[in-house]
Amino acid sequence: MNVYLVGGAVRDKLLNLPVKDRDWVVVGATPDELLQQGYQAVGKDFPVFLHPQTHEEYALARTERKTKAGYTGFECHFGQDVTLEQDLSRRDLTINAMAEAGDGTLVDPYGGRQDLEKRTLRHVSQAFVEDPLRVLRVARFLARYHHLGFTVAAETQSLMHTIAVSGELQHLTPERIWVETEKALLEPSPWRYFEVLRECGALAEIFPELDALFGVPQPEQHHPEIDTGLHVMMTLQSATGLLSHSGSTSETDCTPAFNAEQRVAILFSLLCHDLGKGLTAPDQLPSHPGHEDISEHLSKKVCARWRAPNPVKRLSSLVARYHTHSHRAFELKPSTVMRLLEALDYFRRPETLSLFLTACEADAKGRTGLQDRHYHQADYLRDCAQAASNVQAQALVNLGFKGETLGIELRKRRIDAIRDMKHSYVRP
């Protein structure tokens, strides 16, 4: 049998990028032969085995035949007669359809290396249209490689449109859509994922609430870019920049380091924060009165449809409803600031404030010409929160407060602490 390194490992090696995972294809072997050599079978729909020492995945060369709708509607054939070229032909993009032999020889029957050099994402064959998941995958790959100058080939974009209008996307499970979207949000250019989906018509099928924002005007005074959909894409760009610098030691950077789950929550909350503007009555445009509550409702609807994790659901709702509170922080009464902190559950989950303020800062900076301005509201609200949290329940207990009276007095004194902060705060 012959063993080849395939897929992403070959692609990223040629791009001089770190290789995270290595996958292998085995040509000319049977399952029994691999089992006899100590490999462990793990594949359900087709034969995949784990190497006895490295535990990397080794798959028998196979072909696929479309048998029904959806991305799982394939019948697989594997056997000693399946060639490497046949196995590679079933892959989505030419840059993913390359293999490397044991001696380092590159096997590239579909021009993947040339497309890497041209920075082009191109489908391998017309079989591309048989798998609707490939629309999302291509968009995700562009989110990953956009900063390197990659674009989607026009003919591939055309096939993506064919899939989008065919109804095949409706066969994708919510969980599968979420997995691809979550991965895209963690790529260097997540906004490109949604832009590409919109360009081929797929965004209207899987995320109509977001697609509806493009072309919806906003007041130019606050949004020089005017278009709401464009603004949302700009907030993703802004947030990506903020997150890339989070956790730095700069004295001017108050943004903490976030884990992957928190980064996804921040970015997805921005996708949802203005969804209500897509339902504003035409006679009220370009203003959007009450869009916060509608956005919160729609964010819950989208998160439920995609089975989004609870941290994503929670932050998306909070940012949708309260982002304008943050923008108007200096105008808020101390009691309103307190209600905001309570809505964020700040006194039990103080980390939520940083997530919320990062999203709000990205929203404020995601506007034409305003990308570099300092978001002083975040500094102010952090100081208010710190002042309120300095008032501890135990000190009041020591003074004899207890029960319901303790809660009332604690809240009153925290509002007083916020008021003192407001009066002493020197606004830049």
Side-chain angles (χ1 to χ4, degrees):
M1 65 182 185
N2 294 303
V3 179
Y4 298 88
L5 182 67
V6 296
V10 180
R11 175 196 68 228
D12 289 343
K13 183 177 179 180
L14 291 172
L15 286 171
N16 294 315
L17 296 175
V19 175
K20 298 179 180 179
D21 300 303
R22 300 198 303 172
D23 295 314
W24 306 83
V25 161
V26 181
V27 178
T30 66
D32 287 341
E33 287 178 303
L34 292 181
L35 292 173
Q36 289 171 10
Q37 295 183 37
Y39 287 78
Q40 179 185 355
V42 293
K44 294 181 179 180
D45 300 321
F46 46 82
V48 176
F49 301 83
L50 298 182
H51 190 280
Q53 279 80 48
T54 66
H55 301 292
E56 292 176 335
E57 289 190 358
Y58 285 66
L60 291 182
R62 68 183 189 273
T63 59
E64 295 175 342
R65 183 173 65 87
K66 182 79 168 177
T67 58
K68 58 183 179 181
Y71 69 98
T72 61
F74 292 89
E75 181 181 276
C76 295
H77 167 72
F78 61 92
Q80 293 175 293
D81 60 321
V82 178
T83 67
L84 176 62
E85 288 73 15
Q86 288 175 316
D87 181 272
L88 295 175
S89 71
R90 65 178 176 78
R91 297 173 187 266
D92 50 7
L93 298 172
T94 60
I95 65 170
N96 297 329
M98 296 180 287
E100 182 180 283
D103 62 1
T105 301
L106 181 68
V107 182
D108 181 20
Y110 305 106
R113 184 166 195 167
Q114 183 180 37
D115 281 336
L116 279 183
E117 294 171 352
K118 292 181 177 180
R119 298 296 194 255
T120 301
L121 301 180
R122 190 189 314 279
H123 61 282
V124 173
S125 72
Q126 289 297 117
F128 179 91
V129 299
E130 296 178 351
D131 185 354
L133 186 61
R134 289 175 170 174
V135 173
L136 276 62
R137 279 176 53 82
V138 172
R140 176 164 62 83
F141 275 117
L142 190 62
R144 179 182 299 179
Y145 296 125
H146 170 70
H147 69 291
L148 297 179
F150 275 81
T151 59
V152 180
E155 58 270 31
T156 302
Q157 187 81 356
S158 177
L159 290 184
M160 292 168 67
H161 175 72
T162 298
I163 296 173
V165 301
S166 71
E168 279 276 313
L169 292 173
Q170 301 303 317
H171 295 283
L172 294 175
T173 65
E175 293 83 0
R176 188 68 256 184
I177 294 175
W178 175 254
V179 166
E180 291 297 321
T181 302
E182 182 178 43
K183 290 179 180 179
L185 289 172
L186 293 173
E187 300 291 3
S189 307
W191 61 93
R192 290 298 288 135
Y193 174 79
F194 300 97
E195 289 175 346
V196 168
L197 292 180
R198 179 171 179 266
E199 288 163 7
C200 72
L203 191 64
E205 296 296 316
I206 65 172
F207 202 164
E209 299 88 349
L210 177 59
D211 186 72
L213 298 183
F214 290 89
V216 174
Q218 302 173 105
E220 187 174 2
Q221 175 187 359
H222 303 295
H223 288 276
E225 72 287 345
I226 300 178
D227 188 288
T228 305
L230 175 59
H231 162 62
V232 172
M233 294 299 99
M234 293 177 70
T235 68
L236 292 188
Q237 295 181 49
S238 177
T240 301
L242 291 173
L243 293 172
S244 67
H245 293 97
S246 64
S248 76
T249 57
S250 169
E251 293 182 359
T252 60
D253 181 17
C254 298
T255 307
F258 298 114
N259 59 36
E261 180 183 74
Q262 292 170 326
R263 294 168 71 90
V264 168
I266 291 169
L267 291 164
F268 197 78
S269 73
L270 289 167
L271 289 170
C272 297
H273 83 283
D274 273 348
L275 290 181
K277 292 182 178 180
L279 297 180
T280 300
D283 62 344
Q284 293 181 317
L285 295 174
S287 298
H288 298 274
H291 79 275
E292 298 91 346
D293 289 346
I294 302 173
S295 297
E296 180 188 23
H297 169 73
L298 292 177
S299 77
K300 290 179 178 179
K301 178 182 176 182
V302 172
C303 286
R305 184 171 74 233
W306 283 7
R307 316 284 200 274
N310 287 331
V312 174
K313 295 178 184 178
R314 181 169 179 269
L315 187 65
S316 295
S317 293
L318 289 170
V319 173
R321 182 162 188 171
Y322 294 108
H323 64 280
T324 52
H325 277 56
S326 180
H327 300 335
R328 297 185 294 104
F330 296 113
E331 306 167 23
L332 301 181
K333 296 178 181 179
S335 58
T336 305
V337 173
M338 183 64 181
R339 284 197 295 274
L340 173 60
L341 295 176
E342 290 169 335
L344 297 173
D345 200 10
Y346 168 74
F347 300 103
R348 291 194 308 161
R349 301 176 176 178
E351 70 281 357
T352 303
L353 179 64
S354 293
L355 300 173
F356 172 78
L357 291 178
T358 300
C360 292
E361 181 174 359
D363 176 31
K365 292 182 175 180
R367 309 170 192 219
T368 300
L370 304 178
Q371 295 92 332
D372 297 324
R373 69 174 179 178
H374 189 81
Y375 192 61
H376 296 290
Q377 293 92 327
D379 302 330
Y380 173 68
L381 288 173
R382 288 190 188 97
D383 288 346
C384 287
Q386 184 60 56
S389 64
N390 287 340
V391 181
Q392 295 294 314
Q394 186 58 51
L396 299 181
V397 171
N398 295 340
L399 293 174
F401 289 97
K402 59 183 178 180
E404 182 179 353
T405 304
L406 171 63
I408 293 173
E409 184 66 18
L410 178 62
R411 189 174 191 275
K412 175 181 176 298
R413 294 198 181 199
R414 284 176 168 170
I415 292 175
D416 289 341
I418 294 172
R419 182 175 294 107
D420 291 341
M421 171 58 65
K422 181 179 179 67
H423 288 160
S424 63
Y425 190 82
V426 178
R427 182 174 176 180

